[in-house]
Amino acid sequence: MWKYIGKKECNDFLLSLNLFNCKDKKKYLKVLYSISNNVEKNYNIYKIKKKNGKFRTIYEPHLLLKHIQKNILTNILNNRSISKYAKAYHKGFSLKDNAIPHINKNLLLKLDIKDFFENISFINIYNSCFSIEYFPKSVGMLLTNLCTYDDHLTQGSPTSGYISNLVMKEFDEELGNWCEENNVSYTRYSDDMTFSGYFNPSDIILKVRKMLYKLGLELNNNKIHVIDKSSRQNVTGITVNEKPQISAKYRNRIRQEIYYIHKFGIKSHLNKNNIDMEETQYINMLYGKILYVLQINENDLEFKKYKKFILSLKKKL
């Protein structure tokens, strides 16, 4: 389709994408090419500490690049379908959707893809999202540049999550169909893969290793977990042994905070526990935690009471 297209037609195509507001056509094109050719200079890079003490590198695009990426996501990528087995980075999907297929199963296998975003390569992104099937080659290469840093996906860009789903679509479909044929439930939430049912874990691990290798990806050997029904089975923070439920530890923490508020009042509770927050900020944070529990189990009567109590406090404040 794009075989005989020239530079003028490519530029006209880029203008039609309207990736940011600029009435001056020459300036619009100049800015796009400039950012694409110097994309690494258009990020702020910082690290945040993870629960395990290690650090995660965040690549935050500058405002204009971020705006461009949001338009690429909204106007181009969101129009492409992803696999039904992918449960993250898609409007209308939640952690609960990732957990429901694994409720009340004999065995749970949890696998993690090592350095997921960093190992999704430029060529895989181009082929899955911006190839000549959809765009003139020069336009597709430019769009790929605008969505990558040092030829890979980043944690921090608006486009990265959905791109990862498109890159993994064929993988998800092939693996998901194989699992269905073998009566195994499969979902993937970003780099977390979950399998449940009655199966030999070694068979699945071997198959996943081989399939990931074709994409230039590999399993994180430190995050392979096999959990039977006699233990607490947890899927992306949700217990699934009998029904979807937030972990007891998370719920108990909320119970404790509600108890202290009843006993001491909000101000004294914050002071006694050295919580450096304004009362309104703290109550909004606690309210969000309660809503999260109810999102997973909307019939939890205990947390419905907590919700009502916190709403009454919000009105007073």
Side-chain angles (χ1 to χ4, degrees), residues 56-80:
R56 175 181 287 113
T57 302
I58 301 298
Y59 300 82
E60 183 180 11
H62 292 173
L63 285 177
L64 180 55
L65 177 57
K66 191 172 187 177
H67 178 74
I68 291 169
Q69 289 174 345
K70 284 182 176 179
N71 281 332
I72 291 173
L73 176 64
T74 302
N75 301 330
I76 299 173
L77 298 175
N78 277 341
N79 296 323
R80 312 269 178 80

Side-chain angles (χ1 to χ4, degrees), residues 29 42 81 134 160 168 191 199 205 211 245 253 298:
L29 293 170
N42 286 270
S81 64
Y134 305 105
S160 291
M168 297 295 288
D191 54 355
F199 53 86
I205 292 170
M211 291 180 64
Q245 184 68 281
R253 177 60 182 166
E298 60 188 20

Side-chain angles (χ1 to χ4, degrees), residues 250 253-254 257 284-293:
Y250 191 93
R253 177 60 182 166
I254 295 174
E257 294 187 75
N284 286 333
M285 180 271 294
L286 186 55
Y287 184 63
K289 289 183 177 180
I290 293 168
L291 290 182
Y292 176 53
V293 173

Side-chain angles (χ1 to χ4, degrees), residues 184-200:
V184 175
S185 296
Y186 162 66
T187 61
R188 182 180 58 80
Y189 196 91
S190 188
D191 54 355
D192 293 320
M193 293 177 286
T194 307
F195 305 83
S196 62
Y198 187 79
F199 53 86
N200 182 347

Side-chain angles (χ1 to χ4, degrees), residues 159-202:
T159 45
S160 291
Y162 207 83
I163 285 176
S164 71
N165 283 336
L166 292 171
V167 170
M168 297 295 288
K169 183 177 179 179
E170 287 187 16
F171 172 94
D172 287 331
E173 290 297 306
E174 181 183 341
L175 183 57
N177 290 335
W178 180 84
C179 285
E180 286 188 12
E181 290 171 3
N182 290 277
N183 297 314
V184 175
S185 296
Y186 162 66
T187 61
R188 182 180 58 80
Y189 196 91
S190 188
D191 54 355
D192 293 320
M193 293 177 286
T194 307
F195 305 83
S196 62
Y198 187 79
F199 53 86
N200 182 347
S202 298

